[in-house]
C-alpha cells in the first residue's frame, strides 16, 4: 500500500485503505510518505494504528519493499518475472509513463511537510534520466510526464553540474533536460513548475514544439500577503505579468494550477482578490482544495484559522467561477483540428487527450470514428462540442509516432495540428 502524508485528508484515506486491505486478505506492506512518520517514541506511526501490517517503509524504499515481499511471500520461479525488461515494471498504461527527475524539495511552504519527510532536493544525473526516457520510448511510451516536487528547480542542488548524454556533455538543468527529452519524438509534459523567472525559457521550447505547451503551475493563491504566509517560492506580485509573457511567447499554452481556499488568516477581501485573479488569468484547468491542516506544518500555528464551513464554501465558490472560465476556454476550441493520443478504445471511436490535457487530472476528448481507435496511437481530430471539462471530436486522420517526431524536429506544432 503506497501512502500519502501530504494533508490530513490524505492521511485519513491512507489509514482507511490500509484497514480495507487488511480486512481483504490480512497481508499488507505499507510504504510511502506516511510510512516515514514516527510516534513520540520513534516507533512507526502506521503500526500504532494498524499493528497487523507486515512491514512499514518510508518513500523510495524499493529494495526494502521487495525484501519485505520476499520475506512474506516466497518467490516462485517465474520465467516472465525472471526476464524483467531493463526499465522494470510500469504501473501506467503502455503508452505513457511518469519520469521522476528529482526527489525532495528546498522550499519551506508553511502548509507542507514534504521537505521534512523527503529531505532536500536531490536531482538525478541528467544522463541517467535521459537513458531511462529512451528505454521507455523504445518500449512504446508515447508521452513522458515529468514529475518531482519542484520540477523547475531540477539541477539547482548540483549547480548545473555537467553530465553526459550519449557521449555529449550536457548541463543538469530543466531547460537542458526538456531539450534532450524533446529529441525523443514523443510528448513531453512538465508537471509542478513554480513561476521562477527562468520558466520563460521553457515557453520558448514549447513554442518551438519541442515539449508540450502545457504548464502545471501550482500558484496556490494570488494575494501577496497570503502567499507570504504560505511562504511560497518565487515572488507572486508579477504572476499576472508572467502569465501574459508566457502566452505572448507560446499562444497555444495551456495552464493548469491548483489553489488553497480558506488558508489561516485569509480575509474575505483576500479571497475576492484570488477570484479576481482567476477571472483575469483565464487559466485552462484549476483544482482547488479547502485548506486542510497537516500534522507538523508551520501553518498550524498561524492565527485566525478559518472555520471549516467557510473554507469549504470558498472552495465551492472558486470552482464555480472557474467552471465558467473552463467552459468558455474549451468552447473556443470547437472547430479546431487537434492531435489526440488515445487512452481507451470504444466500439465507435475512443477516449483520448490533446497536449492540453494530462492523464487523470484534466478532461478528455471523446472521439467518434467508424470503429475502435488504437490505444497509444495519435490521431488528428476535429473538435465538435465541449462542456466544462471535456471535448467531443470526430476523426480526421491518424498519425504515427515517426510523423510526430518529424513535426517536432521541423518546429511545427505537434499538438494542435491544423487550423480552424
Ligand atoms: S514547493 Fe512547497 S508545497 Fe511543494 S513540496 Fe516543496 S515545500 Fe511542499
Amino acid at each position: 500500500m503506497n501512502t500519502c502524508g501530504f494533508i490530513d485528508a490524505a492521511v485519513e484515506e491512507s489509514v482507511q485503505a490500509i484497514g480495507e486491505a487488511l480486512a481483504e486478505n490480512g497481508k499488507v506492506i505499507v510504504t510511502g510518505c506516511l510510512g516515514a512518520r514516527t510516534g513520540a517514541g520513534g516507533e512507526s506511526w502506521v503500526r500504532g494504528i494498524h499493528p497487523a501490517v507486515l512491514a512499514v517503509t518510508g518513500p523510495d524504499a524499493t529494495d526494502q519493499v521487495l525484501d519485505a515481499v520476499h520475506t512474506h511471500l516466497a518467490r516462485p520461479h517465474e520465467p516472465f518475472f525472471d526476464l524483467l525488461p531493463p526499465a522494470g515494471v510500469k504501473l501506467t498504461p503502455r503508452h505513457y509513463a511518469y519520469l521522476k527527475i528529482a526527489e525532495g524539495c528546498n522550499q519551506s511552504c508553511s502548509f507542507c511537510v514534504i521537505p521534512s519527510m523527503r529531505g532536500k532536493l536531490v536531482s538525478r544525473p541528467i544522463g541517467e534520466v535521459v537513458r531511462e526516457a529512451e528505454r521507455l520510448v523504445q518500449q512504446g511510451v508515447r508521452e513522458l510526464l515529468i514529475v518531482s516536487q519542484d520540477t523547475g528547480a531540477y539541477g539547482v542542488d548540483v549547480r548545473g553540474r555537467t553530465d553526459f548524454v550519449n557521449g555529449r556533455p550536457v548541463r543538469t538543468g530543466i531547460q537542458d533536460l526538456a531539450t534532450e527529452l524533446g529529441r525523443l519524438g514523443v510528448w513531453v509534459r512538465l508537471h509542478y513548475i513554480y513561476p521562477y523567472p527562468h520558466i520563460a525559457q521553457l515557453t520558448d521550447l514549447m513554442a518551438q514544439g519541442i515539449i508540450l505547451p502545457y504548464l502545471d503551475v501550482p500558484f496556490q493563491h494570488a494575494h501577496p500577503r497570503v502567499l507570504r504566509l504560505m511562504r511560497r517560492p518565487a515572488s507572486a506580485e508579477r504572476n499576472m505579468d508572467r502569465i501574459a509573457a508566457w502566452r505572448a511567447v507560446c499562444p497555444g499554452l495551456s495552464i493548469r494550477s491548483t489553489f488553497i481556499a480558506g488558508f489561516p488568516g485569509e480575509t474575505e477581501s483576500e479571497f475576492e482578490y484570488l477570484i479576481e485573479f482567476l477571472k483575469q488569468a483565464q487559466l485552462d484547468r484549476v483544482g482547488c482544495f479547502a485548506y486542510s491542516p497537516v500534522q507538523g506544518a508551520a501553518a498550524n500555528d498561524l492565527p485566525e484559522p478559518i472555520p471549516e464551513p467557510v473554507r469549504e464554501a470558498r472552495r465551492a465558490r472558486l470552482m464555480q467561477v472557474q467552471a465558467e472560465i473552463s467552459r468558455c476556454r474549451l468552447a473556443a476550441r470547437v472547430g479546431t483540428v487537434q492531435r489526440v493520443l488515445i487512452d481507451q478504445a470504444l466500439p465507435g471511436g475512443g477516449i483520448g487527450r490533446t497536449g492540453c490535457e494530462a492523464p487523470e487530472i484534466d478532461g478528455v476528448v471523446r472521439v467518434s470514428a467508424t470503429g475502435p481507435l488504437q490505444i497509444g496511437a495519435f490521431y488528428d481530430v476535429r473538435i465538435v462540442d465541449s462542456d466544462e471539462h471535456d471535448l467531443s471530436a470526430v476523426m480526421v486522420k491518424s498519425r504515427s509516432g515517426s510523423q510526430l517526431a518529424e513535426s517536432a524536429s521541423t518546429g511545427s506544432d505537434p499538438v494542435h495540428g491544423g487550423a480552424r
Side-chain angles (χ1 to χ4, degrees), residues 296-416:
N300 298 348
D301 300 328
L302 290 171
E304 300 166 44
I306 308 296
E308 205 267 329
V310 178
R311 283 184 254 154
E312 186 48 46
R314 287 181 185 174
R315 185 203 66 79
R317 167 127 189 264
L318 190 153
M319 289 311 288
Q320 195 181 13
V321 169
Q322 180 60 36
E324 182 58 16
I325 295 169
S326 294
R327 193 186 61 73
C328 290
R329 290 194 70 81
L330 288 174
R333 289 164 66 185
V334 172
T336 58
V337 173
Q338 306 201 5
R339 189 148 318 143
V340 294
L341 178 59
I342 294 297
D343 290 327
Q344 187 185 341
L346 297 173
I351 296 179
R353 296 169 289 107
T354 73
C356 300
E357 287 90 31
E360 298 180 22
I361 51 174
D362 296 330
V364 296
V365 184
R366 294 192 185 84
V367 185
S368 299
T370 48
L373 299 177
Q374 190 187 334
I375 295 173
F378 290 100
Y379 296 86
D380 284 349
V381 302
R382 184 177 297 281
I383 308 295
V384 294
D385 201 3
S386 65
D387 59 27
E388 281 171 16
H389 302 291
D390 303 322
L391 295 162
S392 302
V394 293
M395 245 264 293
V396 178
K397 63 175 178 175
S398 66
R399 293 182 62 100
S400 71
S402 60
Q403 283 171 304
L404 176 81
E406 189 182 301
S407 61
S409 64
T410 53
S412 62
D413 179 347
V415 178
H416 295 106

Side-chain angles (χ1 to χ4, degrees), residues 6 104-115 149-150 194 196 220 230-233:
F6 187 46
C105 178
N106 285 349
Q107 309 301 336
S108 50
C109 303
S110 60
F111 54 82
C112 177
V113 292
I114 281 179
Q149 266 84 43
D150 184 357
Y194 296 107
Y196 302 124
Q220 305 299 16
M230 289 179 167
R231 298 195 214 142
R232 292 293 287 165

Side-chain angles (χ1 to χ4, degrees), residues 20-42:
E20 285 169 12
L22 281 169
E24 187 68 26
N25 74 0
K27 291 181 182 160
V28 178
I29 293 166
V30 176
T31 185
C33 289
L34 199 56
R37 186 186 280 191
T38 52

Side-chain angles (χ1 to χ4, degrees), residues 82-340:
D82 290 346
L83 291 172
L84 276 181
V89 176
K90 226 160 55 63
L91 298 178
T92 43
R94 186 166 177 266
H95 62 284
Y96 68 80
Y98 293 92
L99 182 59
K100 190 158 195 179
I101 62 170
E103 182 57 276
C105 178
N106 285 349
Q107 309 301 336
S108 50
C109 303
S110 60
F111 54 82
C112 177
V113 292
I114 281 179
S116 67
M117 290 191 289
R118 301 212 158 202
K120 293 277 185 198
L121 176 74
V122 179
S123 300
R124 294 176 63 196
I126 192 166
E128 180 186 304
V129 174
V130 174
R131 276 194 297 280
E132 181 178 342
E134 287 171 342
R135 283 197 298 270
L136 289 166
V137 172
Q138 281 162 12
Q139 288 167 20
V141 164
R142 290 286 165 262
E143 178 176 6
L144 293 165
L145 302 136
I146 311 307
V147 294
S148 71
Q149 266 84 43
D150 184 357
T151 299
Y154 174 68
V156 167
D157 54 316
V158 292
R159 296 198 176 89
R161 180 193 296 150
T162 299
D163 190 26
F164 290 90
V165 173
N166 296 320
R168 287 178 291 109
V170 179
R171 280 172 58 81
T172 303
I174 188 60
Q175 201 191 356
D176 294 81
L177 178 63
T179 305
E180 292 298 326
L181 297 177
R183 294 179 201 275
L184 302 180
V186 298
W187 280 4
V188 177
R189 187 185 300 282
L190 304 180
H191 284 287
Y192 316 126
I193 296 277
Y194 296 107
Y196 302 124
H198 69 273
I199 296 315
Q201 293 154 9
L202 289 175
T203 52
D204 284 340
L205 299 181
M206 294 174 185
Q208 294 169 52
I210 293 171
I211 57 174
L212 288 176
Y214 180 94
L215 266 184
D216 178 1
V217 192
F219 289 118
Q220 305 299 16
H221 210 280
H223 195 279
R225 191 189 78 92
V226 180
L227 283 161
R228 274 196 298 278
L229 289 177
M230 289 179 167
R231 298 195 214 142
R232 292 293 287 165
S235 94
E237 286 75 6
R238 297 191 48 243
N239 278 347
M240 197 62 81
D241 295 343
R242 287 183 181 131
I243 291 170
W246 297 336
R247 284 183 170 147
V249 172
C250 183
L253 181 66
S254 183
I255 305 177
R256 170 185 180 78
S257 191
T258 49
F259 293 89
I260 296 174
F263 190 75
E266 180 194 61
T267 63
E268 190 60 38
S269 71
E270 286 165 342
F271 176 69
E272 286 299 330
Y273 187 100
L274 169 56
I275 294 289
E276 270 315 301
F277 171 86
L278 277 182
K279 288 178 181 170
Q280 282 183 39
Q282 294 286 303
L283 305 177
D284 297 272
R285 309 274 183 182
V286 162
C288 181
F289 301 92
Y291 174 74
S292 164
V294 184
Q295 194 182 16
N300 298 348
D301 300 328
L302 290 171
E304 300 166 44
I306 308 296
E308 205 267 329
V310 178
R311 283 184 254 154
E312 186 48 46
R314 287 181 185 174
R315 185 203 66 79
R317 167 127 189 264
L318 190 153
M319 289 311 288
Q320 195 181 13
V321 169
Q322 180 60 36
E324 182 58 16
I325 295 169
S326 294
R327 193 186 61 73
C328 290
R329 290 194 70 81
L330 288 174
R333 289 164 66 185
V334 172
T336 58
V337 173
Q338 306 201 5
R339 189 148 318 143
V340 294

